[in-house]
Amino acid sequence: MQSDQPAPQTIDEYIAGFPDDVQQILQQIRQTIRAAAPDAQETISYQMPTFTLHGRSVVHFAAFKKHIGFYPDPSGIEAFKDELAPYANSKGAVQFPLGKPVPYELISRVVTYRVEENLAKAAAKKRK
């Protein structure tokens, strides 16, 4: 995204700030997340596309010069640590290099896991 542009207010605005090839990847990630979390709401948080459910973050994603950042919270990284091992990752983030295939199916499974975790937390909170 161009640094001289105002901060995006929607995911569409965010994606529009990138070259066409990166836009295609971002749209596919967005569609993958939407399919795995159909009830999640789209927003911008920390200047990144974010999906939330019951007021809690499910995942964030963002494009950078050389990679796509995917942020499923530490629990999402830990639950899929073996499958995410080939990618640069940290406690709460993973980097998918641009120019290499994006593991959309893995993204879908991580999002599904995060949705289930989010729903369990919401149910536990409701019981209290």
Side-chain angles (χ1 to χ4, degrees):
M1 192 164 84
Q2 309 278 338
S3 60
D4 59 345
Q5 294 178 341
Q9 300 300 307
T10 66
I11 293 179
D12 287 328
E13 287 178 15
Y14 180 89
I15 291 173
F18 291 92
D20 289 345
D21 59 333
V22 176
Q23 285 185 33
Q24 290 176 0
I25 295 167
L26 293 172
Q27 286 289 9
Q28 183 63 44
I29 290 172
R30 182 187 196 181
Q31 291 169 3
T32 300
I33 295 168
R34 170 67 45 224
D39 296 328
Q41 292 77 44
E42 293 186 350
T43 189
I44 296 289
S45 182
Y46 301 104
Q47 296 186 5
M48 292 186 283
T50 302
F51 283 76
T52 63
L53 188 62
H54 298 290
R56 295 177 179 260
S57 169
V58 176
V59 293
H60 307 272
F61 65 97
F64 297 92
K65 188 174 185 175
K66 296 183 179 186
H67 70 274
I68 300 293
F70 181 65
Y71 309 91
D73 273 7
S75 62
I77 298 293
E78 180 62 26
F80 293 87
K81 66 182 174 188
D82 292 340
E83 292 172 87
L84 295 171
Y87 306 99
N89 65 72
S90 64
K91 184 177 176 181
V94 63
Q95 296 178 1
F96 301 123
L98 290 173
K100 294 193 177 181
V102 176
Y104 298 110
E105 191 272 334
L106 177 56
I107 290 172
S108 178
R109 288 188 291 118
V110 172
V111 171
T112 299
Y113 174 85
R114 288 287 299 132
V115 166
E116 290 169 0
E117 186 176 54
N118 188 297
L119 292 173
K121 286 180 181 178
K125 186 176 180 181
K126 194 173 185 179
R127 284 192 297 266
K128 287 185 178 184

